[in-house]
Amino acid sequence: MSTDTSGPAAATRPDPGADAPTPSRFGLPTAIALVVGSVIGTGVFGLPAALAPFGPVSLVAFVLVTIGALALALAFGALSKRIAGSGGPYVYARDAFGEFAGFLNAWCYWITAWAGNAAIVVALVGYVEVFVNTEHEVGWSIVIALVGLWIPALVNLSGLRNMAVTQILFTVLKIVPLLFMATVGVFFVKSANFGAFNASGTSIWGAISAAAAIALFSYIGIETASVAAGRVRDPERNVGRATVLGTIGCAVIYILGTLTVFGTVPNAALRDTKAPFTDAANAIFGGQWAGQAIAIAAVVSGLGCLIGWTLIIGEMPMAAAKDNLFPKAFLRTRGDIPSFGIISSTVLASALVVVSYTNFEQVFTTLVLLSVFTAVVPYLFSAAAQLFWLLVRGRKAEWPHLLRDGIISVLALVFSFWALAGSGYQAVYYGAVCLLLGVPLYIWLKAGRGEYGEVKS
């Protein structure tokens, strides 16, 4: 998930002029690292347990999701060549479909950020409870989750430099255990641990669709390079390459890591665990030390991911507020940090965590599916924007390229609809309510600018 500090929607504002400072830029290796570091968070450490009720068929879903994610990555790369500057899905939707579509994408992306933080911190709690609150008492779980949300908020509010140093350190530390499990761990897999291929009790296709919606959470953040396109050197060349290569790298770690956990922890035990990678490490080496080391790495990974996304939940609404698409309160800063956005969004994430722990039995899965729904909406608009461009403005392109890009765009669009459908009734219900809550806000903002002709007293 994203750790970019440039502000997702910055590119939609007018050019401030020749005297504006030129933003620092980075090359392809850093852009790839940005994608990988943004995508890989604590969610992957809890994912095998969320997929366990479906059985090994969920690995098939993971492969299909990876294909869809690559189609989206290629679409983001193509769009970044046609629409210059940072902004990602927000800019693409606004360019193709107008201000209201841009607002909906900004709104959904913002919801994804703080709802995703709630999901990340729930996974983090599972690994903290390897050491404390081992009985998983709900009250203490909530306390741990709230501490996990507010520490990253305080790190961000202390200044951009502290945030950057902490983020770099945590990003390096979180990759090590996942690489280990994705490489060495596969040699300890035992077929008896996998259980029934389709353990869901539904049809294979139904199980694949449901598992795919959960697996998609692992890829939220693949758009990071396009969001930060204005800071990438030679973006027409490097944004697409970074997005695709970063997605492939994450896919290898995810699929092999999940395979290792499935093959080292019995399916029945995996369904009940709060820390699946810890159980897998203990099964490989025996004893508790290896699992505890994995748990520490998962906690570090979660905090690092939360630090990055906590900045984004302030940056996104601030950028939209500069475009008059969010309330002006989100422009308030502490130094160069969007303080109001960070505090208000962390409050929302905290409330969601409390509600989830007290009302939902499968807390992590519920929050993941809600985050997936709100993330897929901007992805869907992006794929639609690329298809729109090809149909309306792409006629001068050579037909082999046009056909290739058209197939990729349709695949990305179909994949987005499939992910929405697979989210399940509960996630679609809550996600649609969250989405539509933005409409009154949009009307209020437009009316406040006098754009509907109201007579003010």
Side-chain angles (χ1 to χ4, degrees):
M1 304 182 84
S2 180
T3 59
D4 174 60
T5 62
S6 60
T12 61
R13 292 181 290 281
D15 187 352
D19 295 332
T22 301
S24 57
R25 296 178 183 273
F26 48 78
L28 179 61
T30 303
I32 294 173
L34 178 62
V35 173
V36 174
S38 301
V39 170
I40 296 179
T42 310
V44 65
F45 287 93
L47 202 65
L51 294 174
F54 303 101
V57 72
S58 57
L59 294 172
V60 178
F62 231 136
V63 173
L64 294 177
V65 166
T66 300
I67 294 172
L70 286 171
L72 281 170
L74 290 168
F76 284 133
L79 284 164
S80 69
K81 295 179 181 179
R82 298 178 181 120
I83 304 173
S86 299
Y90 171 37
V91 178
Y92 307 150
R94 185 169 184 174
D95 177 77
F97 308 118
E99 185 181 81
F100 182 59
F103 166 79
L104 287 180
N105 276 261
W107 175 257
C108 280
Y109 201 92
W110 177 61
I111 293 173
T112 298
W114 57 261
N117 275 7
I120 292 168
V121 83
V122 167
L124 182 148
V125 167
Y127 285 92
V128 172
E129 291 180 344
V130 170
F131 306 99
V132 298
N133 192 34
T134 55
E135 299 298 322
H136 308 298
E137 295 181 12
V138 171
W140 282 111
S141 294
I142 292 174
V143 170
I144 296 169
L146 294 179
V147 171
L149 285 171
W150 284 97
I151 287 178
L154 294 175
V155 169
N156 275 277
L157 292 171
S158 70
L160 193 61
R161 182 180 181 86
N162 291 340
M163 177 268 174
V165 171
T166 307
Q167 179 64 20
I168 291 171
L169 175 63
F170 284 10
T171 298
V172 172
L173 292 175
K174 73 182 179 180
I175 298 296
V176 175
L178 289 174
L179 282 176
F180 174 83
M181 297 300 288
T183 53
V184 178
V186 295
F187 294 102
F188 295 86
V189 168
K190 296 180 181 179
S191 59
N193 290 322
F194 285 101
F197 179 70
N198 177 14
S200 66
T202 62
S203 67
I204 288 182
W205 183 247
I208 289 174
S209 296
I214 297 174
L216 180 60
F217 181 73
S218 301
Y219 289 106
I220 293 178
I222 61 171
E223 73 285 349
T224 308
S226 64
V227 169
R231 294 186 177 270
V232 179
R233 283 196 299 269
D234 191 9
E236 292 187 3
R237 175 181 174 85
N238 288 332
V239 168
R241 293 170 67 194
T243 305
V244 172
L245 292 174
T247 302
I248 292 173
C250 292
V252 171
I253 292 175
Y254 283 155
I255 293 174
L256 292 181
T258 303
L259 175 67
T260 296
V261 176
F262 274 19
T264 54
V265 181
N267 183 266
L270 193 57
R271 295 185 185 211
D272 295 329
T273 184
K274 301 291 184 181
F277 275 87
T278 288
D279 291 351
N282 287 335
I284 291 172
F285 293 102
Q288 299 294 318
W289 69 268
Q292 290 175 350
I294 292 290
I296 292 172
V299 172
V300 169
S301 175
L303 288 173
C305 193
L306 284 167
I307 287 170
W309 271 97
T310 297
L311 181 66
I312 290 300
I313 60 177
E315 288 283 338
M316 168 56 81
M318 184 172 71
K322 291 178 180 178
D323 291 332
N324 296 316
L325 292 180
F326 259 62
K328 293 296 184 182
F330 285 96
L331 295 175
R332 298 174 188 169
T333 60
R334 184 180 185 273
D336 56 352
I337 297 296
S339 55
F340 180 84
I342 288 175
I343 293 172
S344 61
S345 300
T346 304
V347 168
L348 288 171
S350 300
L352 183 58
V353 164
V354 173
V355 170
S356 299
Y357 268 112
T358 54
N359 288 276
F360 302 129
E361 182 178 355
Q362 299 293 331
V363 181
F364 177 73
T365 302
T366 300
L367 293 177
V368 162
L369 291 175
L370 175 61
S371 301
V372 165
F373 180 90
T374 54
V376 167
V377 171
Y379 291 170
L380 190 152
F381 270 100
S382 297
Q386 169 67 352
L387 187 60
F388 172 77
W389 189 93
L390 292 171
L391 292 174
V392 175
R393 310 179 207 174
R395 296 170 184 169
K396 297 181 180 179
E398 297 180 6
W399 74 265
H401 293 166
L402 185 63
L403 179 62
R404 178 201 63 195
D405 291 345
I407 291 174
I408 291 172
S409 301
V410 170
L411 178 60
L413 191 64
V414 170
F415 169 73
S416 298
F417 277 112
W418 180 46
L420 284 177
S423 297
Y425 294 110
Q426 187 179 46
V428 171
Y429 171 76
Y430 287 111
V433 170
C434 290
L435 174 64
L436 294 176
L437 282 174
V439 176
L441 174 62
Y442 180 76
I443 294 173
W444 176 68
L445 292 170
K446 294 274 284 186
R449 285 147 53 184
E451 296 187 14
Y452 291 143
E454 291 84 349
V455 177
K456 297 183 179 180
S457 57

